[in-house]
Amino acid sequence: MDLRHDARELSDDLVALRRALHQVPELGLDLPRTQETVLAALDGLPLEISTGTGLSSVTAVLRGQGGDGGGPVVLLRGDMDALPVTENTGAAFSSRHEGRMHACGHDLHTAGLVGAARLLSAHRDRLAGDVVFMFQPGEEGHDGAGHMIAEGVLEAAGRPVAEAYGLHVVSAMIPRGQFVSRPGPIMAAADGLFVRVIGAGGHGSRPYAALDPVPAACEMVTALQTMVTRRFDVFDPVVVTVGNFHAGTQRNIIPPDARFEATIRSFSKEARERVAELAVPLCRDIAAAHGLEAEVTYSPEYPVTVNDPAGHEFVAETVREVFGEERFSVATDPVTGSEDFSRVLDRVPGAFVFLGATFADEPDSAPYNHSPEASFDDSVVADGAALLASLAARRLSGVGA
Ligand SMILES: [Zn+2]
């Protein structure tokens, strides 16, 4: 089977599907129109389809007919949600909804996964195992992957998924058509720190008669930066960014409380656990040192996305074989963004790979994912579909096993 060739034949269809999805972006876990579009696009394929109960996911199982009905199960994932951004790309197929845009390219992922389902369906007589297609809502901070795992996507074929692969397009930095990945951590863990420093309000001229939460909260913000540089391995980095800080109403009033929130990124389980252990008492103890109290919540969000070394090698080998040596490169560093596909790779070996979808000749200066100007070149969708299909096909025909 020549999946790359077959994918090229599908390209016009997949581009049309991507553009249709692009015009009606939906947010979060509830994507009814997107779900409808995906179901229509899968219609007629030999798939066992189920939809989510707590979210508008689509899970499709393809039964390979090239074995004894057992064989491994490979999961392929595409996320489907958009972002609360107003599009400013000028594309003819721009979002029809103000304040909603497929600014992270998940419309390309959805179309690509439909493509992979079509490609593999046409060759199911050659597959000695099953494929689970995971069409996932709510990647952008809604933990759609966690919800789909809770609803059983990893057991959708009736036996556990053995390997999982996912792909992400980028509108900048990576030249068009280039596949990039790395073994080990590829995207950061993201967690949240929520702090409320509780004092006692009063007149700004009489701080001794009040309990001023502002200086203590400021001290926490700088102490968190010192914590990063003094208590963490410089070769296992951590990022703490306080993204909001609110206190008070007027300069001569001491407010009763001060609040701030931070996002925390880390690249190993160890560093992630250590931030949670250190940041909470750091804030509480600074409050106590000044006679104040602090409510501190550390909220785990997405784990580190970790590529299993064998899974990464298999992706690299597959890209080289299907597209040629020059189409794959190994990233030196992980990306500081995070991904809920990490939930899947936490449980199942596999890999996550980036695909350059940049229009610009100078990818470094093109608007990046999440920007209102981010434009994705959908001529890469067919290649994305071919890669996902090839990973499953090669695995289920024993190649690279
Ligand atoms: Zn994304």
Side-chain angles (χ1 to χ4, degrees), residues 79 104 106 109 139-140 168 339 369-370:
D79 44 2
C104 201
H106 298 184
H109 304 166
E139 190 283 326
E140 299 287 358
H168 207 302
E339 226 322 314
N369 293 34
H370 290 206

Side-chain angles (χ1 to χ4, degrees), residues 165-393:
Y165 298 93
L167 173 150
H168 207 302
V169 292
V170 279
S171 59
M173 309 305 285
I174 301 176
R176 178 174 49 233
Q178 190 68 12
F179 292 98
V180 177
S181 193
R182 74 192 297 278
I186 182 153
M187 294 190 79
D191 297 316
L193 179 70
F194 301 83
V195 180
R196 177 174 170 236
V197 185
I198 305 158
H203 198 290
S205 66
R206 303 175 74 238
Y208 48 87
L211 279 172
D212 188 352
V214 174
C218 293
E219 204 174 313
M220 291 173 200
V221 174
T222 51
L224 286 166
Q225 301 308 315
T226 309
M227 173 192 82
V228 167
T229 65
R230 304 295 91 170
R231 304 207 65 189
F232 285 86
D233 184 339
V234 69
F235 297 111
D236 187 5
V238 168
V239 172
V240 177
T241 295
V242 175
N244 69 41
F245 188 108
H246 298 286
T249 53
Q250 188 168 298
R251 66 186 179 282
N252 61 350
I253 302 169
I254 291 172
D257 63 0
R259 296 163 192 262
F260 67 88
E261 296 178 3
T263 186
I264 295 172
R265 306 295 162 119
S266 53
F267 300 88
S268 73
K269 235 182 193 144
E270 295 71 31
R272 188 180 189 213
E273 282 168 11
R274 192 163 161 78
V275 190
E277 263 168 43
L278 295 181
V280 175
L282 181 80
C283 295
R284 278 205 193 116
D285 293 350
I286 289 173
H290 296 291
L292 301 153
E293 275 177 45
E295 291 169 2
V296 187
T297 309
Y298 194 92
S299 155
E301 292 166 3
Y302 292 165
V304 186
T305 306
V306 182
N307 283 342
D308 154 60
H312 166 263
E313 206 30 62
F314 182 60
V315 169
E317 211 179 274
T318 303
V319 173
R320 289 179 183 131
E321 161 110 12
V322 176
F323 300 96
E325 189 71 32
E326 69 294 343
R327 291 282 298 275
F328 187 80
S329 34
V330 176
T332 328
D333 301 312
V335 171
T336 52
S338 65
E339 226 322 314
D340 69 356
F341 190 58
S342 54
R343 299 246 185 250
V344 175
L345 292 183
D346 232 14
R347 291 161 172 84
V348 179
F352 194 61
V353 56
F354 293 107
L355 170 59
T358 169
F359 273 107
D361 292 332
E362 288 179 34
D364 287 358
S365 56
Y368 195 63
N369 293 34
H370 290 206
S371 155
E373 278 89 31
S375 287
F376 297 84
D377 186 338
D378 48 26
S379 67
V380 305
V381 171
D383 281 359
L387 176 67
L388 291 176
S390 299
L391 289 165

